[in-house]
Amino acid sequence: QVQLVESGGGSVQAGGSLRLSCAASGFTYSSYYMGWFRQTPGKEREGVAGISTRGLGTYYADSVKGRFTISRDNAKNMLYLQMNSLKPEDTGMYYCAAARKGWVTYPPSHGDFDYWGQGTQVTVSS
């Protein structure tokens, strides 16, 4: 069955770094557009970053541009999010998501995605 399993979350001080990973299985990973979303209590799930099927196109929310880098390894069915210069406002649950149609319009909407992971918590303290 389809699985997206995130890892790499944790607690870090402002200015620190974390690298999130997402292991995908049960579907043709290389043909799916992939994204990272985050959610905090009381707020809608926000598209943080996205990457095209071959990794040639990327999207970043304005709030993370220049600090986060999304990447994928289609040979290993893995998705990554390198997060640098973390800020307290980056705190939230981060979700990996897969879009079957292989593309999305920007900014990515959660409705574009078919599969979701269970999330990994990121907490940034000031």
Side-chain angles (χ1 to χ4, degrees), residues 3-91:
Q3 278 195 310
L4 292 171
V5 181
E6 301 96 335
S7 60
S11 297
V12 65
Q13 288 194 325
S17 298
L18 286 173
R19 188 193 195 207
L20 306 185
S21 299
C22 173
S25 61
F27 63 101
T28 309
Y29 175 76
S30 60
S31 66
Y32 281 62
Y33 185 97
M34 298 299 296
W36 286 100
F37 285 74
R38 71 182 174 198
Q39 189 165 25
T40 53
K43 291 188 177 180
E44 288 191 2
R45 198 167 290 191
E46 171 194 20
V48 172
I51 189 166
S52 61
T53 55
R54 290 188 292 171
L56 299 179
T58 55
Y59 162 85
Y60 296 97
D62 288 342
S63 57
V64 307
K65 277 181 184 175
R67 300 187 298 120
F68 290 12
T69 303
I70 188 171
S71 61
R72 66 188 296 164
D73 185 336
N74 286 349
K76 296 181 179 179
N77 287 5
M78 293 294 297
L79 180 72
Y80 305 100
L81 186 67
Q82 179 65 45
M83 306 187 295
N84 298 329
S85 302
L86 282 161
K87 303 176 181 180
E89 51 263 44
D90 294 319
T91 294

Side-chain angles (χ1 to χ4, degrees), residues 37 47 59-61 104-110 112-113:
F37 285 74
Y59 162 85
Y60 296 97
V104 299
T105 56
Y106 294 158
S109 166
H110 61 82
D112 290 324
F113 293 82

Side-chain angles (χ1 to χ4, degrees), residues 102-124:
W103 59 271
V104 299
T105 56
Y106 294 158
S109 166
H110 61 82
D112 290 324
F113 293 82
D114 303 282
Y115 305 130
W116 294 84
Q118 83 290 346
T120 186
Q121 177 68 34
V122 171
T123 303
V124 184

